[in-house]
Amino acid sequence: MSVDLGRILQRAQDLSCGEDAVRDKVVARIYQEAESLASEVVMAEKPARDWDTLIDDVLTSKRFGYPSMLALLAFVLWLTISGANLPSQLLARLLFAGEEGLSRLFLSFGAPDWLHGLLVLGVYRCLAWVVSVMLPPMAIFFPLFTLLEDLGYLPRVAFNLDGFFQKAGAHGKQALTMSMGFGCNAAGVIACRIIESPRERLIAILTNNFVPCNGRFPTLIAMSNIFLGAMALNGSSFLAVLLVAGLVVGGIAITLVVSRLLSATLLKGIPSHFALELPPYRPPQVLQVILRSVFDRTLFVLWRAVKVAAPAGAVAWGLANIHVDGLSLLGHTAQVLEPLGAAMGLDGVILLAFILGLPANEIVIPIILMGYLSAGAMLELEGLPALRELLLANGWTWVTALNMMLFSLLHFPCGTTLLTIRKETQSWKWTLLAALIPTLIGTAVCILVAQGARLVGLA
Amino acid sequence: MLLSQLPVGKTGEVVAITCSGLMRRRLLDLGLVPGTKIQTLRQSPGGDPLAFNIRGAVIALRLDTASQVKIRLVK
C-alpha cells in the first residue's frame, strides 16, 4: 500500500513538470463532458427581444456611459437629500420633546445637576441628534443602493470605470469595493478580499476612505445647505445635490490619483489580470430589498452609531462642563488646536470634533455644537435652518462650510474602519498609513482653499 | 489573430492561450479551451476593457488579458 502511494506521488511529480499541458487537457476534457451533457438535457430559447443588450447599449455606451452614471448618482442623492428633510425635522421635534419629559423625571427624583447633565444633556441629546440626522437619509439611501445592486448595475459601473483604474495601476474590482464604501468604509475594506493580488488589495484598502460613507453623507448634506446659505443661495436642493455629487466625483478622482501614486512608489507593480462578469439584469424584488436594507444595513449601522454616540455624548459633555481656570477642558483643547484650525479655514472646535469623532463620523456635528454652546450641552435644534443660524452666528463663512465638507471627505477613517484595516492587512504600518494619507491630503487641501480664498479676497 | 483584435459583433474560435501560470488558469476556468466560440459584445466607454460572450455569460477582459488568447475568425 505504502509502496503504491510512493509510486503515485512520484508519477504525480513527473506529470507536474508539464503542469500547464496536463491542466489544459483536464480542463478541456471537463468542458467537453459538460458540453455534451448540457446539449442533451438543456433547451435554450432565444428571447424575442434581448433587453440586457439594449440596456447595456445605453448604460455602457461611449456617449451615455459616463453621463448616465453621473445622472444616476445625482438622482439618488437628490431623493436622499430632499426626502430626508421632513422626517428629520419631525424626528428631532419628537426626540427633543422626549428630552423635556426626561428632564422633568430627573427633577422629580431630585437628581443632582451633574447626573442630569451627563445623562440627559450629554448622552440623550447626542443620541437624539444622531438618530434624527442619520436615520432618514440612511433609510432612503440604503434601499436605493441595494436596489441598484439587486438590478445588477454595479458591475456595469466597474466596466465603465475600469479604464481609469487600469491607468492608475489598480485592480478593476476596486470600482466595486469603492462602491461598497459608499455604504460603509469598513464594509468596503472587507470587500477588498475579492482582489487576489496583495499589492492591488492594499491599494484598494488604503484608498477606500476617499468615498464618503453613510456616516459622512448627513454631514456633507447639512454642510452643503449651510454653504449655500452663506452664499445667499437658500433652499435650492438642486444646488445642494450638485455640490455633494461634485464632492463624490472629487473623492473618486483622488482615489485614482492616490492609487496611481501608490502603485508608482510604495506598492510598485503591474496590474494583474481580471475577469468581470456582467450578469443579466434582474427585476429587483422591491419589498425584499427594502426589508433587507432596512434591517441588515440601516438598523445595523444605526445601532453601531448609537453604541458609539452614547459614551461619546457623555465624554463630550464632561469635556464641555469640567472647568479649569475658568475655561472648559473642551475650550482649552480647542484653543491649542485653534492656530492649525484657522490656517485650514476651520477652527479649533471643529478640529477637536473630528478628533473626538474618531469612533464614528456621525457625532462630529453634535460635538461642534456642544463646543459652541456656552451652556455646555447641545442646543435643541429643529432641523437644518436652526443649525445654520447657530453656525453662522459662530463666525462660519462659506469657506468654513466648504472646508468642513472637504475635511469630512479627506481625513482619517473612523475607528471601526481603522481596526478593520488592521485586521485585513495584519499590519499597524499600513493602518497608520491609511490614516495619514487622507489626513495629510485633507489638511493640505483645506489650507490651499482657505489661503486661496483669502488671497483672492473672497473671504 | 488575437482576441483583443476581434471587432465588436464578430465571433472567433479559441486556438491557444499563450500565457502561463495563474492567468492561464483563470482563462481556462472561464472555459476558454481550444475550439470554444467567443464573440465580442461591446467596448467600455474608455475603450478598455472589452465584453465577450463566453459560453453564454458576459465576461469583461482587459485588452492585455485578451491579447493572451489566440483565435481564428469564424465567418
Side-chain angles (χ1 to χ4, degrees):
Chain A
M1 188 67 192
S2 63
V3 177
D4 274 348
L5 195 65
R7 280 218 327 254
I8 291 168
L9 282 174
Q10 183 58 47
R11 177 87 181 115
Q13 197 100 55
D14 293 346
L15 283 172
S16 71
C17 293
E19 192 183 357
D20 279 348
V22 175
R23 184 169 281 121
D24 280 17
K25 270 187 197 147
V26 170
V27 173
R29 192 76 187 91
I30 290 172
Y31 270 100
Q32 206 183 336
E33 186 73 20
E35 237 168 53
S36 73
L37 275 178
S39 68
E40 277 172 39
V41 294
V42 179
M43 280 198 295
E45 236 178 287
K46 271 242 158 171
R49 207 167 203 184
D50 195 350
W51 283 105
D52 282 13
T53 309
L54 285 177
I55 297 172
D56 274 343
D57 280 347
V58 176
L59 291 182
T60 67
S61 67
K62 259 203 168 64
R63 190 174 302 170
F64 300 112
Y66 299 129
S68 63
M69 273 167 54
L70 280 177
L72 206 60
L73 172 70
F75 181 65
V76 168
L77 288 175
W78 176 76
L79 278 182
T80 308
I81 291 175
S82 55
N85 235 336
L86 188 67
S88 256
Q89 279 177 39
L90 290 177
L91 262 177
R93 216 166 288 168
L94 190 77
L95 289 169
F96 284 118
E99 187 200 299
E100 276 172 35
L102 266 180
S103 285
R104 267 199 298 276
L105 192 72
F106 270 74
L107 216 64
S108 69
F109 281 127
D113 260 1
W114 65 265
L115 190 67
H116 170 255
L118 189 72
L119 290 182
V120 178
L121 303 181
V123 173
Y124 183 84
R125 273 192 183 175
C126 201
L127 281 179
W129 170 269
V130 166
V131 171
S132 65
V133 170
M134 277 189 68
L135 184 58
M138 281 199 318
I140 299 173
F141 185 88
F142 273 149
L144 286 176
F145 191 80
T146 317
L147 275 177
L148 286 178
E149 219 180 337
D150 220 42
L151 261 168
Y153 181 66
L154 291 190
R156 271 74 187 181
V157 172
F159 183 63
N160 283 345
L161 290 179
D162 181 56
F164 296 110
F165 282 100
Q166 194 177 352
K167 287 196 187 85
H171 199 280
K173 285 181 191 161
Q174 197 177 322
L176 293 178
T177 61
M178 186 185 77
S179 305
M180 295 295 291
F182 283 114
C184 167
N185 290 130
V189 167
I190 293 175
C192 292
R193 288 178 189 173
I194 62 174
I195 301 173
E196 297 113 358
S197 133
R199 182 190 79 88
E200 286 152 324
R201 183 165 57 230
L202 265 174
I203 292 178
I205 288 175
L206 292 180
T207 55
N208 192 271
N209 189 47
F210 290 125
V211 291
C213 64
N214 249 272
R216 289 184 278 167
F217 265 118
T219 307
L220 293 179
I221 290 167
M223 286 305 122
S224 71
N225 264 296
I226 289 154
F227 172 79
L228 294 172
M231 295 280 259
L233 294 163
N234 281 326
S236 169
S237 64
F238 178 69
L239 281 176
V241 167
L242 279 190
L243 198 57
V244 177
L247 272 178
V248 170
V249 173
I252 295 173
I254 290 172
T255 301
L256 291 167
V257 171
V258 173
S259 298
R260 181 79 195 87
L261 289 176
L262 282 172
S263 67
T265 53
L266 286 175
L267 293 162
K268 264 199 189 105
I270 46 157
S272 65
H273 58 282
F274 95 113
L276 174 80
E277 194 194 351
L278 303 176
Y281 289 103
R282 295 183 307 166
Q285 295 164 298
V286 178
L287 195 70
Q288 209 187 328
V289 162
I290 291 174
L291 285 178
R292 212 173 62 210
S293 53
V294 165
F295 286 101
D296 288 3
R297 293 193 172 171
T298 309
L299 292 183
F300 173 76
V301 174
L302 188 72
W303 176 235
R304 214 198 68 206
V306 162
K307 275 193 293 193
V308 171
V315 169
W317 184 86
L319 285 176
N321 285 276
I322 298 170
H323 291 260
V324 179
D325 299 333
L327 188 63
S328 66
L329 287 177
L330 199 144
H332 278 295
T333 327
Q335 256 179 7
V336 174
L337 293 168
E338 185 65 33
L340 179 62
M344 291 169 62
L346 304 168
D347 62 32
V349 174
I350 301 175
L351 277 191
L352 178 62
F354 272 109
I355 294 169
L356 289 177
L358 178 72
N361 284 293
E362 295 86 351
I363 58 173
V364 169
I365 292 187
I367 297 176
I368 291 177
L369 299 185
M370 278 201 209
Y372 283 153
L373 293 164
S374 50
M378 275 182 282
L379 190 73
E380 293 181 26
L381 284 173
E382 287 180 1
L384 289 173
L387 175 67
R388 184 158 65 211
E389 293 306 308
L390 174 75
L391 294 179
L392 292 180
N394 273 281
W396 278 46
T397 63
W398 65 269
V399 178
T400 326
L402 178 64
N403 279 356
M404 171 88 191
M405 288 166 89
L406 287 170
F407 200 62
S408 176
L409 183 71
L410 305 167
H411 74 291
F412 43 83
C414 74
T416 312
T417 306
L418 284 174
L419 286 178
T420 310
I421 294 174
R422 160 80 185 96
K423 213 163 140 191
E424 294 297 309
T425 62
Q426 292 294 318
S427 142
W428 285 112
K429 190 188 83 179
W430 291 118
T431 311
L432 185 69
L433 210 62
L436 275 180
I437 295 172
T439 311
L440 290 178
I441 293 176
T443 310
V445 167
C446 284
I447 290 177
L448 275 178
V449 169
Q451 303 306 326
R454 248 166 249 177
L455 211 66
V456 183
L458 282 173
Chain B
M1 186 181 195
L2 300 178
L3 181 57
S4 51
Q5 299 161 336
L6 187 67
V8 172
K10 296 279 192 252
T11 304
E13 196 183 280
V14 176
V15 175
I17 295 173
T18 51
C19 57
S20 58
L22 193 66
M23 191 163 172
R24 183 189 189 89
R25 218 179 300 170
R26 287 282 172 266
L27 290 172
L28 287 175
D29 287 346
L30 293 172
L32 287 176
V33 294
T36 308
K37 296 264 195 316
I38 182 165
Q39 187 192 14
T40 309
L41 292 177
R42 62 185 71 255
Q43 213 176 13
S44 112
D48 188 5
L50 297 173
F52 302 98
N53 181 345
I54 304 175
R55 297 177 180 272
V58 182
I59 307 282
L61 299 174
R62 284 178 176 175
L63 287 177
D64 61 346
T65 308
S67 65
Q68 304 295 322
V69 182
K70 272 195 185 148
I71 56 156
R72 175 170 52 224
L73 195 66
V74 174
K75 291 280 183 279

